[in-house]
Amino acid sequence: MDHAIHAANLVKHYGENVAVDDLSFDVRYGEIFGLLGPNGAGKTSTIRMLLGLLAPTSGDVRVLGAADVRTVLPRVGYLPEERGLYRDVRVDDCLVYLAELKGVPRREARRRVTEGLVALDLPDVERRAIKTLSRGQQQKVQFLATVLHRPELLIIDEPFSGLDPVNTRVLRDFLLGLHATGTTIVMCTHQMNRVEELCERLLMLQDGRPVLYGGVQAIRRDFAGDRVRILLDDAPPDAAAQLAGLPGVVEVQSSAADGFMLRLAPGAGSAEVMAGLVDRPSLAVQRFEAYLPSLEEIFLRVAGDDAPPPPSAAPHA
Amino acid sequence: MSRLGGLVRVARFEYRRHLRSKQFIGTTLGMPLFMVAIGAVSAWSGSTAQQTSRHPWGFVAVTASAEAQATLAASDLRAFDTVADADRALAAGDIGGFAERTDYARYTATAWEAMPDGVASTLRDAVRAEAIAAAPALLRARWSEPVRVRYALAAAPNDVRPPAALWATLGIAFAVPLALTLAVLFSTTLLVTAVAEEKSNRLLECLATSVAPTALVGGKVVGLGLLALTQLAVWAAGAMAAAAIGLRVGASGSFVASLPWGTVALAAAWLLGGYLVQAAVVVSLGIVIGEPREAQQVAGFASLGLVLPFSLAGLLVFRPASPAAVWLSIVPLTSPVAMPIRLLLSAVPVWQAVISALLLAVTAAASLAAAGALFRYMLLRPPLRWRRLFGRRFASRGAA
């Protein structure tokens, strides 16, 4: 199957420092793909190799089917994490210029700028100098600059940072609109809830190596194994003690919102717990589910300070 | 997009962007206004000086020459028969002073106020008219006809001061390179700021995914070079307008025609080479330093090569063929200014001009290529902060 991005055994060294170490992954056409990892994990180096800004020390990259990435750059949009625009230039002039550099004719660029500003809820900023805009507005303008040429592949680094909830929603809807038209999106972010919400698959890097790779839900299921969540109707005062006495349960945590979280002993299954609950009529179960950890928990578990050294990631289907 | 297409778009954007900037408008319009202001102050102070003598002057002279009397009568001077009459008029405040002829060609002035301009020349003209009237006819014809001198510039030998009539040539010899240099320095200041700004806000990283780095640099150099030309055009138009007003329109045409346009074009060619070298230097500084203000400060030092010849103006004017002047006009750092000054002032040996032009062209090409390579190398690398670098060095010295 052809992929929007195909990276095979990518390695990038800066002197003796290894930024990316034997990285292989694919991004499918039309999907939203999350590229995650703690600071210094090698995400930026990977993106720059994908964009042809850096030459890999070894390994192969194909972007939109091309081995010479620079030939397809007009079909790629890139929003870096640290960003800025020409502060003294008018919004429309700046956007038209950046679109023209991507090959959009001037008149068409002007039309798309007007449309894009409306779509991003920036209707009155067209003729204003960029420095007069708020940070959030500037961020949306820069995002628009990234997509004006209607790229087939969009690589965006922390697109939501600095945005308030309203603007976050505007941008998210815009992204979903692009996704609906078939644009392939690679999103780097530390906002795990956004990855859960938007991404179909992800790749997590640590120390330049892949530690997680695959479908978002599959990864969450893989990390769900040892926990069960139970919500009770009118939980009695000794509910936690009763739950702790269930077979296979080694720890009980409770919270008002989420009910009870039961951590199971290695080898124990949720069927044992359920069977135990049947024998305790005082515990009226409203909901019983295998707990799917959030990506944030998985991220902390995999990339936290006390995380084990990264294994080679096998794809999670 | 082709590399050329990218270059053209970048050049057009940089040109338009800076053309509308307050900095450009202020500098371009401010400079002629500044010059006009200086001229106006100068003219005003001159007229004030003339007004220091608020009373007419007189003269006491006995002459039988009708020609001399006619000359004096045509002036504003009041005639007195005796010194006593003139003294009385002076004491009464009727005149500011008077001149008494004490010898054939000598006058002694008695005055309360400074002698107005033109009094001395009127007296001199009267003496001359008297002498001419007494001379034989052939001599009269020769003396009546004013001597006409037409200056032709030649290679000035060492230690020879140019005659007063050459000051106009000197003015042009410095005004043309100065205007070109100011435009070059202004453009390269914008250039270093533009590169450092894009480096500091990481816009370069985005741009590099749209256009080749060489086209990006080339577009900026071309765009801001065109901006310098625009600035020069505005200044030249201002100068022409000023000349038209000062020389009463009709004469301005001959003034413009009398300018050494061929040499001015040569001067512009040298300054173009200087611009390219300077542009390469500031692009390198902008991409390495990556902070607009710091980059501007360091670029100021880099422009010393263009400023140095102006500080050695005396050498270029009075000893234009000296070894130092020749070296200044051959070394590519200073030749963009020194050679135009020499070309406009004197005849420069062809071999010197050829060597200077070749060296400048090679240096411009090499420095642009080096700047392009450095630009690509530093595009994604962290900037080098001079203040931090020197700050650390000084701090460690202090600690030691």
Side-chain angles (χ1 to χ4, degrees):
Chain A
M1 179 185 173
D2 203 8
H3 294 96
I5 294 174
H6 171 72
N9 309 112
L10 269 186
V11 176
K12 181 64 191 176
H13 290 186
Y14 297 108
E16 295 192 353
N17 181 30
V18 180
V20 177
D21 187 11
D22 197 24
L23 175 63
S24 298
F25 69 98
D26 295 312
V27 177
R28 297 169 187 156
Y29 277 109
E31 74 174 338
I32 303 182
F33 186 86
L35 183 56
L36 317 177
N39 296 329
K43 301 188 297 292
T44 302
S45 292
T46 302
I47 289 174
R48 286 173 174 178
M49 285 189 283
L50 297 178
L51 293 166
L53 296 173
L54 278 181
T57 307
S58 65
D60 296 313
V61 178
R62 293 183 77 84
V63 174
L64 299 176
D68 182 0
V69 175
R70 295 206 68 90
T71 62
V72 293
L73 282 182
R75 295 154 60 196
V76 178
Y78 172 45
L79 179 75
E81 180 181 5
E82 291 176 54
R83 39 193 169 244
L85 292 165
Y86 301 103
R87 290 178 49 75
D88 293 322
V89 177
R90 266 173 28 182
V91 169
D92 55 349
D93 289 341
C94 182
L95 288 172
V96 167
Y97 167 60
L98 294 173
E100 276 189 294
L101 287 183
K102 284 287 190 185
V104 182
R106 191 169 186 74
R107 187 176 296 230
E108 173 64 13
R110 287 221 169 267
R111 195 183 63 75
R112 290 186 192 179
V113 166
T114 307
E115 280 179 10
L117 289 174
V118 171
L120 283 171
D121 199 21
L122 292 167
D124 301 321
V125 305
E126 201 163 346
R127 301 176 77 80
R128 280 170 58 185
I130 286 168
K131 66 182 176 189
T132 65
L133 306 184
S134 70
R135 190 176 162 210
Q137 286 175 320
Q138 288 187 29
Q139 183 149 333
K140 287 198 288 184
V141 167
Q142 181 134 24
F143 178 80
L144 183 58
T146 312
V147 299
L148 275 174
H149 60 294
R150 297 186 179 153
E152 293 166 47
L153 170 63
L154 183 60
I155 300 176
I156 46 180
D157 200 346
E158 291 295 351
F160 301 104
S161 71
L163 290 181
D164 60 39
V166 174
N167 283 318
T168 298
R169 168 167 285 195
V170 170
L171 192 57
R172 186 202 64 183
D173 292 346
F174 196 96
L175 273 177
L176 289 172
L178 289 174
H179 176 54
T181 61
T183 306
T184 306
I185 300 171
V186 175
M187 185 168 73
C188 286
T189 181
H190 288 117
Q191 296 182 12
M192 296 300 149
N193 57 331
R194 296 290 157 219
V195 178
E196 279 181 36
E197 181 186 5
L198 295 170
C199 295
E200 290 143 82
R201 296 192 313 132
L202 65 82
L203 169 70
M204 185 185 289
L205 300 177
Q206 189 177 16
D207 297 329
R209 302 190 66 195
V211 289
L212 287 175
Y213 174 45
V216 171
Q217 296 309 319
I219 288 172
R220 290 181 70 194
R221 276 197 301 275
D222 283 357
F223 277 80
D226 63 347
R227 293 187 190 203
V228 170
R229 184 155 58 184
I230 296 174
L231 198 61
L232 300 174
D233 270 340
D234 298 328
D238 65 340
Q242 288 195 53
L243 289 170
L246 291 172
V249 173
V250 295
E251 185 185 347
V252 176
Q253 295 172 339
S254 65
S255 73
D258 295 332
F260 297 90
M261 182 78 73
L262 278 55
R263 189 159 69 83
L264 308 184
S270 54
E272 289 176 62
V273 178
M274 200 175 285
L277 283 170
V278 174
D279 295 338
R280 287 175 170 74
S282 61
L283 300 178
V285 177
Q286 188 189 76
R287 203 164 73 199
F288 182 97
E289 62 188 9
Y291 172 68
L292 286 180
S294 67
L295 276 180
E296 187 167 344
E297 287 178 78
I298 296 172
F299 183 91
L300 289 172
R301 221 187 291 178
V302 173
D305 290 340
D306 52 352
S312 288
H316 299 253
Chain B
M1 180 186 299
S2 71
R3 202 162 284 199
L4 182 63
L7 186 148
V8 169
R9 281 178 174 82
V10 174
R12 188 173 62 188
F13 175 74
E14 292 293 344
Y15 178 79
R16 286 184 177 174
R17 171 191 172 195
H18 288 102
L19 191 69
R20 297 174 190 165
S21 71
K22 289 177 189 164
Q23 210 177 353
F24 175 79
I25 293 169
T27 312
T28 306
L29 299 182
M31 180 65 72
L33 289 177
F34 179 66
M35 299 306 289
V36 166
I38 287 181
V41 169
S42 171
W44 174 79
S45 62
S47 66
T48 307
Q50 283 180 356
Q51 288 166 8
T52 52
S53 178
R54 284 167 296 180
H55 296 91
W57 265 49
F59 69 95
V60 181
V62 178
T63 175
S65 163
E67 288 81 359
Q69 284 177 351
T71 303
L72 291 167
S75 73
D76 294 333
L77 294 175
R78 284 178 57 180
F80 294 96
D81 292 332
T82 64
V83 172
D85 291 344
D87 267 334
R88 273 195 292 277
L90 185 64
D94 295 338
I95 57 173
F98 66 90
E100 176 194 359
R101 188 173 183 181
T102 53
D103 195 351
Y104 171 71
R106 193 184 302 262
Y107 281 84
T108 302
T110 305
W112 291 113
E113 295 173 353
M115 183 184 283
D117 289 345
V119 171
S121 62
T122 302
L123 297 174
R124 203 165 34 241
D125 288 347
V127 170
R128 199 171 66 130
E130 188 182 72
I132 290 172
L138 181 63
L139 280 178
R140 273 208 305 274
R142 290 286 175 270
W143 289 347
S144 301
E145 184 75 12
V147 175
R148 288 178 184 168
V149 178
R150 189 159 180 272
Y151 283 96
L153 293 175
N158 291 346
D159 298 325
V160 172
R161 284 170 178 273
L166 277 183
W167 286 111
T169 308
L170 277 174
I172 292 169
F174 279 93
V176 171
L178 182 65
L180 291 168
T181 305
L182 286 175
V184 165
L185 292 179
F186 179 68
S187 287
T188 50
T189 302
L190 294 179
L191 183 59
V192 72
T193 309
V195 173
E197 179 191 18
E198 287 177 358
K199 168 86 173 177
S200 68
N201 65 17
R202 303 286 288 270
L203 194 52
L204 270 182
E205 197 171 333
C206 278
L207 293 172
T209 65
S210 303
V211 62
T214 46
L216 196 55
V217 174
K220 286 182 189 305
V221 171
V222 170
L224 293 172
L226 290 174
L227 193 76
L229 282 181
T230 306
Q231 192 167 51
L232 284 168
V234 172
W235 288 349
M240 300 283 182
I245 294 166
L247 298 174
R248 295 208 183 101
V249 186
S252 66
S254 59
F255 167 73
V256 170
S258 71
L259 288 173
W261 285 108
T263 319
V264 169
L266 273 179
W270 252 271
L271 255 297
L272 172 65
Y275 170 68
L276 294 178
V277 173
Q278 193 70 14
V281 170
V282 301
V283 163
S284 305
L285 289 173
I287 194 72
V288 168
I289 295 171
E291 201 281 319
R293 201 182 302 173
E294 278 184 42
Q296 269 185 27
Q297 289 166 352
V298 181
F301 288 107
S303 65
L304 286 179
L306 293 183
V307 178
L308 184 66
F310 289 108
S311 61
L312 297 173
L315 182 75
L316 293 166
V317 172
F318 300 125
R319 298 174 63 89
S322 64
V326 171
W327 277 111
L328 278 176
S329 56
I330 286 180
V331 173
L333 279 179
T334 52
S335 69
V337 172
M339 183 55 87
I341 291 177
R342 286 188 65 206
L343 283 171
L344 286 159
L345 273 181
S346 59
V348 176
V350 174
W351 68 267
Q352 291 180 12
V354 169
I355 289 178
S356 174
L358 280 177
L359 275 178
L360 187 58
V362 169
T363 306
S367 52
L368 281 174
L374 187 65
F375 188 85
R376 284 192 296 274
Y377 177 77
M378 286 297 296
L379 187 67
L380 302 175
R381 284 179 167 73
L384 178 65
R385 292 288 156 83
W386 295 91
R387 276 185 193 157
R388 239 181 272 162
L389 193 71
F390 288 116
R392 246 183 243 151
R393 178 158 295 184
F394 289 134
S396 62
R397 272 189 197 170

